[in-house]
Amino acid sequence: MTLTAIEVAAEHCAWARRGGFSARQVVESVNGRKVPHRASITWQDANVVIAAWWEAMRYQRRRAA
């Protein structure tokens, strides 16, 4: 079974919330850099960032094959 980017993002965000992480921490970990504190980061933002990351990784794997 292949997971979609939306499924991966939802599971990742659910795991992060249960672990006590904030949406800001999730976005910063995926991006690899700090997010300006004036930016208001929501869990929807985190979902979008993770979904985009997942699609980029799938693209890279296809290119490498």
Side-chain angles (χ1 to χ4, degrees):
M1 179 176 116
T2 303
L3 295 173
T4 66
I6 298 301
E7 292 167 331
V8 170
E11 183 60 32
H12 188 82
C13 285
W15 170 84
R17 285 179 109 164
R18 285 191 304 269
F21 295 97
S22 69
R24 176 180 299 280
Q25 289 172 307
V26 171
V27 170
E28 288 175 347
S29 70
V30 171
N31 287 341
R33 63 176 189 256
K34 294 283 188 189
V35 175
H37 284 287
R38 66 181 178 279
S40 177
I41 305 298
T42 66
W43 282 106
Q44 181 61 34
D45 298 329
N47 271 314
V48 170
V49 168
I50 294 168
W53 169 82
W54 181 256
E55 286 297 324
M57 293 299 103
R58 285 184 58 211
Y59 176 74
Q60 290 296 325
R61 285 191 298 267
R62 283 193 305 260
R63 284 193 63 190

